Amino acid sequence: MERRQFIKKSTVAASALGIGISTIHAFNSSKSNPINNANTFKLNYAPHLGMFKHHAGNDPIDQINFMADQGFTAFEDNQMMKRDVSLQTKIGETLAKRNMTMGVFVIDKGGNMQNTLADGTKEHVDIFLDGCKRAVEVAKRVNAKWMTVVPGGYHRKLPIGIQDGHVIEALRRGADILEPHGLTMVLEPLSDSPDLYLQRSDQTYMICKAVNSPSCKILFDIFHLQKTEGHIIRNIDLTWDEIAYFQIGDNPGRKEPTTGEINYKNIFKYIHSRQYNGILGMEHGNSIEGLEGELAVINAYRTIDNF
């Protein structure tokens, strides 16, 4: 697309969304002259790669710089452990330069349903512990503190108490690896399948209390827990002392806030009232494709952060 056409189309989209034209000039005039956007957010929202690719291009470093230019103070990347060491290093350096905090990446133990810790199998536990050891080195490169863990599937042939015991023991061993480095695995209850072991906030709270380590806390994913249990603010309050991280996605659709039924402005107002200074990962898609959709995401966060 020619630059004149790009600016014309982007101006229309920006006007419709109430966003200043300075937002859309990122990386068009000069990468050495990024946007100077004074707007900041009350909370540390963390976009992911690909969310602003139509504005910033495909280069991960350009995308992170674009995020910073919009006022975002954090970044998360589930796939960080699968990326080249050289890119991990560049990401870490860029985040430090832009004064951004690295959010979660997923500890590599296989997919969400794979290598379940609930069955107590030595092979599965060893895969998990190996992932923890490798995650330490990745965390050093990107200056990360939090890593997502999904314990795997539910084992239907074992009593739930036995499964709880297996999961707690495996996580204690993982915490022993992470704790000396000041790292924290955050356990994520999911709504994707009834065959998953970890699905509720109270269950995750119990597991964290039993592991009894600063390196094992809750990732409270508001999208998933709206689907499985609702009562979001109440359950955040009940499990607050074990929550280390939040993730975001509206329901239905898992798109940006304001596109579904979740009252994110009230939820964020409550979280802010608790003096939360951690990260809220933007683990969702864009409801609209292209430049217009990316501007819509930025505008949505401006709206819900205005409490």
Side-chain angles (χ1 to χ4, degrees):
M1 181 184 296
E2 293 184 1
R3 189 171 185 273
R4 183 177 298 176
Q5 291 176 312
F6 172 86
I7 293 174
K8 181 178 180 181
K9 291 185 178 181
S10 298
T11 302
V12 173
S15 299
L17 292 165
I19 296 175
I21 187 64
S22 63
T23 300
I24 64 166
H25 282 301
F27 301 96
N28 283 311
S29 57
S30 170
K31 291 184 181 180
S32 63
N33 184 29
I35 307 167
N36 182 15
N37 192 330
N39 293 325
T40 57
F41 297 100
K42 297 183 179 75
L43 294 168
N44 297 313
Y45 308 113
H48 57 81
L49 294 180
M51 183 166 276
F52 302 117
K53 65 182 180 181
H54 290 92
H55 279 89
N58 291 323
D59 182 81
I61 303 305
D62 288 348
Q63 292 186 37
I64 291 171
N65 279 315
F66 181 84
M67 296 169 193
D69 292 336
Q70 308 319 305
F72 293 107
T73 53
F75 164 75
E76 71 173 25
D77 181 20
N78 285 343
Q79 303 301 315
M80 185 66 77
M81 286 192 72
K82 300 182 184 299
R83 303 196 187 281
D84 291 340
V85 170
S86 60
L87 179 56
Q88 293 172 1
T89 302
K90 288 179 182 178
I91 288 174
E93 292 170 350
T94 303
L95 294 175
K97 182 178 180 180
R98 300 308 305 266
N99 197 29
M100 296 177 74
T101 303
M102 180 67 208
V104 292
F105 61 84
V106 176
I107 287 183
D108 184 12
K109 61 166 278 296
N112 289 343
M113 288 293 298
Q114 292 179 286
N115 301 312
T116 178
L117 303 180
D119 65 9
T121 304
K122 182 179 184 300
E123 177 187 1
H124 293 172
V125 174
D126 287 346
I127 289 171
F128 164 63
L129 297 179
D130 176 68
C132 290
K133 292 173 184 175
R134 290 185 288 112
V136 170
E137 298 306 312
V138 176
K140 291 177 182 177
R141 296 185 194 108
V142 298
N143 196 27
K145 181 178 179 180
W146 305 276
M147 287 137 288
T148 305
V149 170
V150 177
Y154 178 81
H155 198 293
R156 297 188 178 278
K157 293 184 178 181
L158 290 176
I160 187 62
I162 301 300
Q163 295 184 64
D164 291 342
H166 288 159
V167 171
I168 291 164
E169 177 61 24
L171 294 176
R172 282 177 177 169
R173 294 178 65 185
D176 287 342
I177 294 170
L178 301 175
E179 192 169 335
H181 303 279
L183 303 178
T184 302
M185 55 181 162
V186 284
L187 310 182
E188 183 176 15
L190 299 174
S191 63
D192 296 328
S193 169
D195 293 323
L196 284 160
Y197 165 79
L198 198 63
Q199 299 190 38
R200 305 185 318 277
S201 62
D202 64 324
Q203 176 195 18
T204 314
Y205 182 85
M206 179 273 292
I207 295 294
C208 289
K209 287 297 185 185
V211 175
N212 192 28
S213 168
S215 290
C216 183
K217 295 295 180 181
I218 298 172
L219 192 172
F220 198 105
D221 188 308
I222 296 168
F223 166 78
H224 284 296
L225 292 172
Q226 167 73 4
K227 291 171 66 179
T228 57
E229 60 188 28
H231 302 288
I232 294 298
I233 292 177
R234 177 178 184 271
N235 287 329
I236 290 174
D237 178 62
L238 287 173
T239 61
W240 181 262
D241 61 318
E242 294 294 335
I243 296 173
Y245 201 96
F246 289 93
Q247 283 184 325
I248 304 161
D250 216 336
N251 183 51
R254 199 174 183 89
K255 305 300 183 184
E256 70 269 16
T258 72
T259 59
E261 66 185 6
I262 302 176
N263 190 336
Y264 268 105
K265 181 175 284 191
N266 278 356
I267 292 171
F268 289 164
K269 180 179 180 181
Y270 173 77
I271 291 172
H272 186 262
S273 75
R274 298 293 300 262
Q275 286 79 53
Y276 178 74
N277 60 4
I279 293 176
L280 300 99
M282 296 160 57
E283 196 187 34
H284 58 73
N286 298 3
S287 63
I288 304 170
E289 293 291 330
L291 294 165
E292 182 183 359
E294 294 174 3
L295 292 172
V297 169
I298 296 168
N299 191 56
Y301 279 89
R302 296 280 178 226
T303 298
I304 60 174
D305 191 70
N306 184 24
F307 49 78

